[in-house]
Structure formats: structure tokens, C-alpha cells
Amino acid sequence: MSVADGARLTPMMAQYWDVKKAHREAIVLFRMGDFYETFHDDAKIASRVLGVALTTRDRNSDHPTPLAGVPFHSIDTYVARLLRAGYKVAICEQIEDPALAKGLVKRAVTEVLTPGTASVPALLPERDAHYALCLAARGDETAAAPIGFAFLDFSTGEFGLGERRAAEACDIVARYAPGELFLPRACLATPLELELRRRFETLPISFLDDASFTTRIATDALTKHFGVLTLEGLGMADLPQGIAAGGALLDTGTRLKQARLQAVTRVQIVREADELVLDDDTLANLEIFRPLRGQDPGVTLVHHLDACQTAMGSRLLRTWLRGPARRPEVASARHAAVEWLVEQPETLEVLRTKLAGIGDMERLLGRIAADRATPRDLQAFAESCERLPEVALALTPATAPLLLELHGGLDPLSDLAEFIRTTLVEDPPAHLRDGGVIRNGASSELDELLAGTREAREWIASLQESERRATGIAKLKVGYNKIFGYYLEVPRGQAERVPAHYIGKQTLVNAQRFITPEMKEREQLVLRAETERVRIETEIFAALRQRLAAHAERVRQTTTSLAGLDVLASFASVARKRDYVRPRLTGGDRIFIRDGRHPVVELLLDAAFVPNDVDLSTSGAQILLITGPNMGGKSTYLRQVALIVLLAYAGSFVPAREAEIGAVDRIFTRVGASDNLARGQSTFLVEMTETAKILNTATSQSLVVLDEVGRGTSTHDGMSLAWAVLEYLHDRGPARPRTLFATHYHELTVLEESLTRLRNQTVEIKEMQDDILFLHRIRPGRADKSYGIQVAKLAGLPAAVIERAREILAEHERMEEALGHHAPATLPKEPPPRQLDLFAAGERRVAERLRQIEPGSLSAAAALDLLRELRGLV
């Protein structure tokens, strides 16, 4: 974008281009009176994204200027649309009163908004965080190399950092689901950038100068912000890459004029040892936050688990689900608090009722710290502060240690509420520009100003009656508009009664408007007072916001306690309503669940949910091999075990009759099958990539859930791979993770004879002639067939297809029987490279070829060629 050659710029457009040159990457919203205007290419983008008219300035000149504008009073809505579309926005304001300006009004950029750093209300999800995420990486590291990450929610001040392996970069992005990702400029066109763009197609990615990630600059940014000399006291000194990411993100926030960071009062250090890790695939496959298919949030875990009364609680709940506590003592402390609340139903309901009256104090604090809070925001903040003593009172009987800790963190903030109540009127207007925000007695200067204009206001207010009496014009009216100010309006038929000192101002169809010298004098007094009043009120209001922002850490402590109480109360409420139990976290290797249920599926079924047990341990039943027909409930069973473990470590009670959960460091899931065409990956490649990640990463403390490994390729190849994966998980790999392995290859059940820690499980069904009845129970045993035709019949395939399929199956089985091809009952512990007995199709091709051969006619060379051919047929 540039000025057209030969174009003569007006002073205003010259001013615009000075601003645009300094913000080339942003859409500049240029304030002109009651509108924000965009020009040239910015106007074309704004017209398309915002759906506003694209017009032309100086349309008759040789160089007309494309123009698109939006009204100033609804700017947040339009800015949110631009940010959602991935654009950066620079707000260029009039920084002096146009009425007082001499010549061109001065303008300057007051805010730079980006998709991840803006706290525009229309952009923010109410009950989820809105993170900016920064990765400190080169982009071409080895998989095991450390990279740093930092996240910051500019709307609340939540800030944290940590380190992970480079191979987990996408998992980090999936976990925080940021509104914007920041990378070093060195990552441009690297494998990391390309992979991130493939995996997260709509995610805005911005690049920062590499210098921002240097140790000196990053450390300076962190120490300066938190007011410390060194980083040792913040607990991050051993995380150089995390420091690089955190410092770069804070430095970026400081440079963005809108991103005032007073609400960032603490830093969360995220260590892998403290969290149960859920990778990108697990978050998706378990449908914790988003459905795998479609847009219905009703199939997600968080939809049914979130019974929080405040937005703060809902956001913390999502944090606990993204990163459940790995240390049993942390989760057990939450369980003890939930248990106390479950056993005290009256206290629980009182607490939840009191929490329901608390507003989103985190976001309000963020708006206060960023100088974006409105008068009504501060009123809402004061109302929430005034309800804090009621929340504290409701918790008085509590004995659980975590509840006592959170109760102790509830600062009543009564002094902050008092600041607001003694400064603002009881029912303030929505905006400062409307005036009338500051109450009488809050400012002597303001009180004197208003007293000085009171007589003029009263005179104008009484003018209509006095002029009606003086002129005898009964329908005379006093009016006001922004163009003419105050005026006297006289019906057209009463013109002969108008006094001589009336000065004509405007003629309408049915009336005439007049002013008088005295009216104009009083009007000027009132209008000057209004302008001065808004100036004084703005200064008082800004001082009030700064005073409140200075107490950000006190507010942060209270909001942290409120959010924690809300999540625990939500867990307790759900546990009481749905008959959840407290899990026992043992730190051992056993995962035992009696009568477990899927926390979402059980709520969506019309019929009663059939519960099931599971018993896993690294020394006993390490692998459960689950066979049975599709639609029998294998996938539900796998997911419910993973979800119960996740809930237990998040601190929730679980849907079961009894649950004993040993140590778990990660949950891995590989379920379903889908193409990723945008990444150029087939169903099978996606499946194998996910499986490889699990086999290369799982430890003996991991829980692995594998569903239908090998399904995306031929039966021959798929069964071979599934077989090999099971052997690897059992004893050929470096770890022995507890594993649930569902498969339609019922031939694999023979492995129970050779793999000592593998147990066969099957979905119980009832056969009825050509139909089957699903009982949805998982019991010890094996399936000897797949029941695919029966399932296809239930799915509604035409009868002719079903009948023909049965004929083909019968013929196939007769051929198998004639050739004597049956899967063996047992296999040697070290099976030969070729297990011909497993692959009937390959054997059949060999047999058919052999029948065509006359052995006596073969030469030695021909026999060798034949062997090569037969080997290729298997």
C-alpha cells in the first residue's frame, strides 16, 4: 500500500499516511468525528470483513481514495470481527477536543490490538480463557530438544511458562487453544511453522524479533515486570527456554499500547512432573472440549461437568481438565474438599447461591488494569466485592484443609468497594462521555462547576413556561439539537406573535425556530460547563481506576479463591446429582474401577447405561484385548476408563461404584479413523502416526487406549501391525504401559496364550437366529467372529445386500474349511516371520498357483522363479 504517484494529499490524509507508515501490518481505524474511517487497501478489507459499504473519497479526482467507515459507539463489535479474521488493528484517536483545536485535530495511535492480546468483550469467550501463546524455538530442533512456552490471558492477567520437548509443540498449542501464536522470526518457513499451519489452519501466527528471546532481554522483561532482582525467587531459573518465551511475551505486551499488564501479578510455573499430560489427540478423541464430529457441545465432557456459578470458576475448571494434577496429594486434597461439600448439602447450596451473585471479577480487574473499564464495570466490581462476606460466611463450618485455605484467601475488599461507592453515582451511565458519572461531594472542583451552572440550567428549564406566558403562544416549545443548540420553536400560524427580539434560526414546514441573545449566553455557559464536567469526571475516573489497579494482587488472590471454591462446589453438585464416588489415588500401578460409567454417554441415552469393570496393572493384567462386534460398546468402554482416570486426577468424583487409581503420568488415545486431507495424510497414515507417537513416548505409568489399530489398511497388513504393536507394548518396548486395546481382529485373541500379562475381554451379546442383541457388558473371554453382517443389517442396509453378503461369507468359510485354514489355538512365544496360518487369502493364492504347476516339467531355473513368484503371493 502506498500513496498513488502524483496524488496531492490534504493535511488530513498526510496525517493518515504518517500513522499508516508506522503501522503497516495493521488495519488503521482513523477517528473522524463520530466515525472510524479506513482508507485504501484497509477500506477494501474492512468492507469485506465487516460488511460495510465501500465508498470513494474525491471520486472525481484522478486518484480517488477508497473509504469505509464504522460508527464510533459500536467500535468494539467491529474490532472483534477484524481480530477474529486474523487482522491486527491500530486505533488512531483524536487526542484533542475538535472544538478547541487550531487547525487539524491532533491524532495518535492509542491502542494496537491483535487477535491474542486484545481484551475486547465481543472477542472473548465468556467461560473460557483467551490466551496469547509464545513458543521459544528455532523451528528445526530435534524431537527431544527443549523448547519454551508461555501463555498470557490479557483479559484476566493469567500468566505462566514452562518447557517441553520440541516434539510436543503441537500438543502445547492444542492445550491452550490460543487466540494468537507468537514465534521467533527464525521459525519462518521451518518445519515447525509448516506443521503448525497444517495442524491449526485458522490460528493467527505472528513473528517477533529474535532479539526478544535472548536471555538478557527476556530476563529484563520478567524482572522489571515483577519488580525483582533475579528470577530465582520466581521458581523459573532452571527453565532458560521458558524464560525466553515468557520474557518475549511480556515484552510484546508492554510494546502494544493497549496491553497494560498491571493485572499480571504472578507467574505460574508449568512443570511436566506436576501435570498429567494430555496430548492433542487425547484432548480431541475424548471430546473433552470439542466434539469430534459436528458442532454439538452437548457431547463434550466440559458441557456436562461445568456446573460453575461464575465465569471464573468455569475457566479454572477448563484449566484443571487441560492439565490434571499428576501428584496424588493435590488431587486428593480436592477430593477431600468435594467430599465435605457432598456431605453438607445445605452448606453446598448456600455457597452456590452466594457464588451466583459474584460477577466476573477477573475480567473486570483486567479491564481496570488496561484502562478500559466503564463506569458500569466499576459498579459491577463494587457489587461483587460487597457479596464476598456472604461467600465467606457460607464457608464458616468447613473443615477440609483446601476449603480452609481458599476461605482464608477471600479478602472482602471492602475498602475497594467503598472507593467506588463514594466516587460514582448510584446508577452511572454506560460511558464517561455521557457525563453525570461522579457523585456530589466526590470533587469540590466539580461541585463548584455544577453549582455555577445550576442557575443557567434552571433558567433554560423554566424558559418554555415563561415564554408561553410572555408571548401568549400556548404551543411554544424549547428544544435542543447538536447543530443549533437550544432553540424556541413556534407553530407556523403563530408567527405574528413572535417578539422582535427573537432571532430566526430555521424554517420548517409547520414551524419556525428562533433564538434569543440571552438564550445563547446561557447555552454557552451550560455547554462549556458540560465539556469541563466531562474533563474533570474523566480525570477523577482515571484516578479511581489507577487506585483500584494498584490493589491487583489482592484482587487476584480473592478471584483465585473464588474460582477454586466454585469448581469444587460444581464437582460436589455433579457428584450428588449423578451418584459419583470419591476415587482412591494410591500411587501404585493398579487401575481398578467397579461399575464404571461414561460421564457423557450415560446422560444422552434414553435407556439405562450398563456399567462395567476394569482391572489393569503393570504386573498383572497389563493389556486388556477387547473383541466383539461394532456397536457393542467397545469404544465407549475405552473412553470411559480414560475419562474416569482424567476426572480423578482433575479432582472430581467419578461415575463408578468404586475406583482405585494408581499413578498415571499421561493418557494416550488412538481411536477412530479419519483422513487429514489438508495435511496430505490418509486415514492409515494418521492412524500410524498417532500409534508411533504413543509407542515412542509412553512410560510404565501411562494409560494407553488403542481402538482398531490396523483398520485403515488391508486385513493382512492390519493384523500384522496390530499383532506387532501388542507384542511391543507387552515386552518388546522399553515400557509396559497399562493398555486397553480394542480390535475387530478376533484372531488376535490367541495371544493370551503367549503374552502372560494380556487378558482377553469381549463384549457380551445374545444371538437370536440371524440377529444379535447388544448387552453392552464387558466380560472375560474372546469373540470368535465379528458379526459384521448382523451389524450391517441393524444399520439398515438393503435386504438384498445382507442376503448376498451371507452367501459370500458362507462360500468363503467353506473354502477355508476345505483348505484346512484355521487360526491356531496357540502360537509359539517366538512366532516365525511368516504366520501363514493367519493369512488365508495369501495361502489361497499360493494353493491355486500350485494346482496349475506340473512339477516334473520344471527346470531348476524355473523352479527358482516359481519360488520367487509364490513368495510374492503371500
Side-chain angles (χ1 to χ4, degrees), residues 587-609:
D589 71 341
R590 189 185 187 199
I591 296 176
F592 171 72
I593 300 168
R594 187 185 303 281
D595 288 344
R597 313 186 308 274
H598 193 293
V600 175
V601 174
E602 73 165 338
L603 301 175
L604 302 179
L605 289 177
D606 294 330
F609 187 91

Side-chain angles (χ1 to χ4, degrees), residues 410-550:
L410 291 175
D411 185 330
L413 305 176
S414 54
D415 54 331
L416 304 190
E418 184 68 13
F419 294 161
I420 297 169
R421 293 303 191 193
T422 56
T423 303
L424 305 186
V425 297
E426 186 172 343
D427 185 18
H431 303 284
L432 271 171
R433 63 176 179 265
D434 298 329
V437 172
I438 307 302
R439 71 168 54 246
N440 292 336
S443 165
S444 58
E445 181 186 10
L446 181 61
D447 290 346
E448 290 174 5
L449 174 69
L450 296 178
T453 60
R454 189 170 296 120
E455 180 184 348
R457 290 175 179 278
E458 291 172 352
W459 183 86
I460 291 173
S462 64
L463 183 62
Q464 181 168 289
E465 280 304 313
S466 64
E467 288 300 302
R468 282 181 177 180
R469 288 195 300 270
T471 62
I473 304 173
K475 293 186 177 181
L476 181 147
K477 294 188 300 184
V478 174
Y480 175 84
N481 64 38
K482 289 185 178 181
I483 298 175
F484 297 117
Y486 288 101
Y487 56 82
L488 297 163
E489 185 172 292
V490 176
R492 200 163 183 79
Q494 302 289 314
E496 69 279 0
R497 296 190 177 186
V498 172
H501 66 280
Y502 277 26
I503 303 170
K505 197 66 179 177
Q506 185 181 23
T507 299
L508 306 177
V509 175
N510 297 316
Q512 287 183 287
R513 290 175 176 175
F514 303 88
I515 60 171
T516 68
E518 188 176 9
M519 270 185 74
K520 210 61 185 172
E521 180 183 339
R522 305 283 181 125
E523 175 190 276
Q524 290 300 316
L525 179 62
V526 170
L527 293 180
R528 280 196 300 270
E530 283 296 325
T531 300
E532 188 66 8
R533 175 183 187 172
V534 171
R535 182 191 66 78
I536 295 171
E537 289 195 339
T538 299
E539 291 177 355
I540 296 170
F541 191 77
L544 175 60
R545 284 194 297 208
Q546 292 171 7
R547 190 176 187 183
L548 296 173

Side-chain angles (χ1 to χ4, degrees), residues 7-33:
R8 298 182 61 183
L9 297 179
T10 64
M12 189 276 292
M13 286 305 296
Q15 185 185 57
Y16 166 80
W17 278 110
D18 286 341
V19 171
K20 183 61 184 176
K21 288 173 185 176
H23 299 278
R24 295 179 185 275
E25 297 180 353
I27 304 294
V28 174
L29 297 180
F30 195 75
R31 181 70 179 270
M32 296 180 66

